Amino acid sequence: METPETRRGGASSADNSTAATDNSAATDNTAAADNSAATDTAAADTTADNSAASSDDPVANLIAATTDTVKLTIWASEEDQTLTTQLLEDFKAAYPDVTFDITLGSESESTAKDTILTDVEAAADVFAFADDQINELVQAGALQPVAATYTYDVAGANVAGSVEAATVNGTLYAYPMTADNGYFMFYDASVFSEEDVKSLDKMVEVAEAAGKKIAMDVSNGWYIYAFFQGAGYELTLNDDGSNNCTWNAAGATDVAQAIMDLYGTNVMVDMSDEEMATAIAEGTVAAAVNGTWRAETASDAWGENYAATKLPTFNVAGKDCQMSSYSGYKLIGVNPYSANIGWSMLLAEFLTNEASQTARFEARGLGPANVAAASSDAVQADPAIAALAAQAAYATPQRVGGNFWAPAETLGQILADGSAGSDLQSVLDTAVEGIMAPIE
């Protein structure tokens, strides 16, 4: 499932200090017809013969192998157009001996898969997409594996979770761009102390005394996952696109009861993202489970009392369980049908290197996946990004089939409004039956 678009670096050149020494990266290669193009020979274009590949520097080899204008098309989200335009100019300036003809198009990361799969060969050479789309893109042969590197080691430079999200069956298929598409707890520090926000049950107690609300969109599968996964009940994706779910296993009714008890207080409230934003601005909500795209809303409302942290624990039949979450990443992919595979891969590296990820944070507040960029003082000083990093230890990449969302939404609504009655096992059985329904 896609979260709301994030609200939200300048980079002048790639860092060649870690340039790969794989000379085969500059050999001649025709446009790929399938993912077999993902050998090290994929890192050169169709513009010259193999005799050009004589340097120990794969970038120099690529340049030497290029005699014609390099034509590329890139898709970036509407929100990323201004920054990407500047980064493309920086990329061209980094290679002044090469003539580029680069076309920038607008395509949301959340819809990239659907657009690409209508005609993979006609899609952009380089494109951004949300990590939960990667399995279908790989199955369709729409992603060039990251089999050759030019300026840095992609897997080594980025946080482990982002690399995992960009990997399918042991093969790295994309370049991590951001690591902030997850959720955590925002709160008003004038209402809650740092000790209070460690426990959701304590937060409810404090909020009730203060006449405030705590918001979480539990009637949304993306968020209700936090409770069941946190209590040890699993939801996984099968190879055929169906789901495996244990949310109705022994003891799971205690999780359902815990959710009902929290929302039954009328202090914990079920709100959509838009409703939450309004309630925060109006002052009725003093804490909320949401993502970085609501950081500005919370900061504007709470001012110097704006704070954020990892998700709290919640009590399940007398046991405190750490709430889990989905982690989400934005990735950049290369089309294996590109006529300029090598330059497409080098451009993807450039758009996701440390400098570009830093520029993206500075321009749009997007959390870097790059380890060095993420560890900078500026990033660490951002409450939302720091909270997301703290939550990362309890987060998993979103990998679910389409049959999950509707039953999970219904389950959340039933538990939030208290209409489940006493037969919680039946409610969970019905939800899991829908979640695990075969793919038609």
Side-chain angles (χ1 to χ4, degrees), residues 1 183 217-226 235 247 326 404-406 408-410:
M1 174 176 181
Y183 49 94
D217 189 4
V218 76
S219 57
N220 180 322
W222 208 55
Y223 293 101
I224 194 174
Y225 174 86
L235 172 68
W247 291 10
Y326 274 129
F404 166 68
W405 302 108
E409 177 180 340
T410 300

Side-chain angles (χ1 to χ4, degrees), residues 395-413:
T396 56
Q398 177 187 304
R399 296 293 182 268
V400 296
N403 286 339
F404 166 68
W405 302 108
E409 177 180 340
T410 300
L411 174 62
Q413 290 171 341

Side-chain angles (χ1 to χ4, degrees), residues 30-35 37 120 125 127 141-145 334-338 341:
T30 57
D34 57 35
N35 283 343
V120 177
D125 298 282
F127 50 85
L143 284 175
Q144 170 78 16
V334 169
N335 191 329
Y337 289 93
S338 173
I341 288 289

